């Protein structure tokens, strides 16, 4: 059974930076597309960024130029580097992949103060 465990969330001031990590186990990490989603209070879950096994990336318009997704196949880990954060980035961030099943992490809270 696959598991995804996020870390790195917390409280950060607007304009600051934060790096989220998602470590996986029980899945063949290096062939999977990995993604970060977020859910803000009162809003639907949205895709933030994704990265394919070949390293191709995709970003939501709201984070382009500020966030960067990357992966380390040797560590079975995907990262989300968040720069120039804004209060509207406040949300629970989830790691996701699909490998026969949908796999979600437990989420990590990111709070951006103004």
């Amino acid at each position: 059974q696959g598991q995804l465990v996020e870390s790195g969330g917390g409280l950060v001031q607007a304009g600051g930076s934060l790096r989220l990590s998602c470590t996986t186990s029980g899945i063949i990490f290096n062939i999977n597309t990995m993604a970060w989603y977020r859910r803000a209070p009162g809003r639907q879950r949205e895709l933030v960024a994704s990265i394919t096994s070949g390293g191709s990336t995709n970003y939501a318009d709201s984070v382009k130029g500020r966030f960067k997704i990357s992966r380390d196949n040797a560590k079975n880990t995907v990262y989300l580097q968040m720069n120039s954060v804004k209060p509207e980035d406040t949300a629970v961030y989830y790691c996701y992949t699909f490998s026969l099943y949908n796999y979600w992490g437990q989420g990590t809270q990111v709070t951006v103060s103004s």
Side-chain angles (χ1 to χ4, degrees):
Q1 190 78 5
Q3 283 192 318
L4 282 61
V5 179
E6 302 100 336
S7 62
L11 176 64
V12 60
Q13 286 190 328
S17 297
L18 209 59
R19 189 176 82 155
L20 306 184
S21 300
C22 171
T23 300
T24 70
S25 61
I27 62 172
I28 307 174
F29 179 83
N30 62 345
I31 66 171
N32 282 11
T33 292
M34 301 297 301
W36 286 96
Y37 282 78
R38 67 186 180 187
R39 176 174 281 160
R43 300 186 64 177
Q44 290 189 333
R45 184 170 57 199
E46 63 172 345
L47 175 66
V48 177
S50 63
I51 184 168
T52 68
S53 59
S56 296
T57 57
N58 181 56
Y59 296 92
D61 288 342
S62 59
V63 307
K64 279 181 182 176
R66 301 188 297 120
F67 291 9
K68 181 179 180 181
I69 189 171
S70 62
R71 64 192 296 158
D72 185 335
N73 290 340
K75 295 182 178 180
N76 291 346
T77 299
V78 61
Y79 304 97
L80 184 68
Q81 179 66 44
M82 306 169 62
N83 298 325
S84 302
V85 295
K86 304 175 181 179
E88 50 264 44
D89 294 322
T90 294
V92 178
Y93 284 72
Y94 298 92
C95 184
Y96 168 81
T97 192
F98 176 81
S99 179
L100 296 181
Y101 303 99
N102 291 312
Y103 289 101
W104 293 94
Q106 82 286 357
T108 186
Q109 176 71 47
V110 172
T111 303
V112 182
S113 63
S114 56

